[in-house]
Amino acid sequence: MAGDFSGCTARKKNRAQSIEYNPVKTDGSGENSKQPTNPLTTRSGLRVYKIVILGDGGVGKSAVTLQFVSHSFLDYHDPTIEDSYQQQAVIDGEAALLDILDTAGQVEFTAMRDQYMRCGEGFIICYSVTDRHSFQEASEYRKLIARVRLTEDIPLVLVANKLDLQSQRKVTTEEGKTLAKQFGCPFYETSAALRHYIDEAFFSLTPPKYHRYQSELHAHLNGSLSNSTLAELRELKYGKEDPGGTDDCFYKILNGESLTLEECFKKFQYAHDLTERREALERATERVIEDFANDNVIYLELRTTPKCTAHMSKREYLTTVLDVIRKMSKSERNIIVKLLPSIDRSKGVQEAMENVNLAIELSVTYPDTIVAIDLSGKPFGTAFSDFVPALEKAREHGFRLALHCGESEDEQEVKQMFALGVDRIGHGTFIEGENLAFAQKHNIPFECCLTSNVKCKTVPSYEDHHIAKLLKLKQPVCVCTDDFGVFQTSLSQEVQICATTFNLAKEEIVQMQRNAVVYSFASEQEKKELSSQIDQFSKTIKEK
């Protein structure tokens, strides 16, 4: 999520004649070209961002827009001439206004389109997964925008709506991805009826500048399954029919309703149940990587505990995830993905050693993908010293160690972890005194997951989060999501929370992104390439 959105107003009127553009000369021919200038627009002191949603009639443009601004769904909507909606937002740390033009898809209204396209600063091209003609027309809308604006550099999102009508699907997910790849833009399959991926589609058009070129260093695979992905996996396993015994929580997920903390944690149970087969695990891994890529993440370290299910061995489970990572790394998406196999403390020391041995074995086949070992799970009822032999074996092989550390007030355990050698600290909520001094002396980075800690109540509020202390001490930190699906957040949202809560300047956020690359387990060449991208982009960041 790109910004903090609150409050909205909507109005409907035909105002096509009020849209203005300024003709300018673009060459030496002396002829005027109607290329848009898009000067900064303000209204009541707020920066206005003009978003235009385009697509054939009947694809659900109005339903998508109404769901975004009012969280409501209408089964029927009169044919649109033009609807104009406004939504307040915080973008680049400042109050702003989204001005959304929901355009007509009917033929008789096409004369208005050029004017929409000239004034727009971001575009959503929408088609229906149940209508192949609307999918084919998406390319025509893309050409029209380029023709009117005289540029191929267009802020654009491709949206495939009516995901809930799977039985009527005529356009595959892969076809949509391929088209978005041709457009060079994010792609979302949405359901206006179920409110799936509606916010993400709009927010991706207005990310604060410093939310780009991000690195995610602490993300668990099963905890990063969005509501939409869980619904997709449920249908993959059970089909359209209710399998029986579906609880109220999953119905809330399907309907896009807010969840309690207890209901959030049930997502782990659902994720385990819905990914017991290879095809489902492949789909889940693909969706998680896509979601991070759509959130402007260019480097991702995923964590998962090898699982033995009714249909897969641990080895098959891990190779499935690794194969998806390898496949998607070749799909030309601008994201590098690494894997950290996890040791779950609650599973005991025997499984810990099994997981390390499996990671060592597979690292021969996937040498550039398996980069470290994660230690996670509830610290209560287990002794860290019992896991030291497995972790020492991992380190001797050359794996880095990312340990969930200081999640409880156990100073001795933290000392034991530091004595072993930890490359990054997961959370570190209760690291104080001598242990904090040790971390400072050795520049050990902290992986800070703000919303996760607040919702789990290990910290009372964002304002009281220990990242504030770490930033003041200039301790290495990186902002992470932990489980963005469980806690219904995103890396962009976590960065935004950090920036606004602790009054960080844009340059400070960009520097944190540079630092995250340094703290990552990427190769030196990959770090060099990632840093170069951030350095090039940072030149465009200017304080107002």
Side-chain angles (χ1 to χ4, degrees), residues 286-297:
E286 287 174 359
R287 293 293 182 264
V288 169
I289 295 173
E290 289 168 358
D291 286 343
F292 276 112
N294 285 334
D295 192 34
N296 299 297
V297 173

Side-chain angles (χ1 to χ4, degrees), residues 132-149:
R132 175 155 289 277
H133 180 265
S134 71
F135 171 71
Q136 295 167 341
E137 286 297 294
S139 295
E140 297 304 313
Y141 282 106
R142 172 66 175 76
K143 292 175 184 176
L144 281 171
I145 298 171
R147 175 182 61 78
V148 171
R149 298 174 68 86

Side-chain angles (χ1 to χ4, degrees), residues 345 349 352-353 375 379 382-392 403 410 412-417 420:
R345 295 174 65 154
V349 295
M353 189 61 78
L375 177 71
T382 64
F384 172 74
S385 57
D386 293 339
F387 297 93
V388 169
L391 293 169
E392 285 181 334
L403 309 182
D410 189 337
Q412 190 59 36
E413 179 174 280
V414 174
K415 288 180 180 179
Q416 292 174 350
M417 290 185 177
L420 171 68

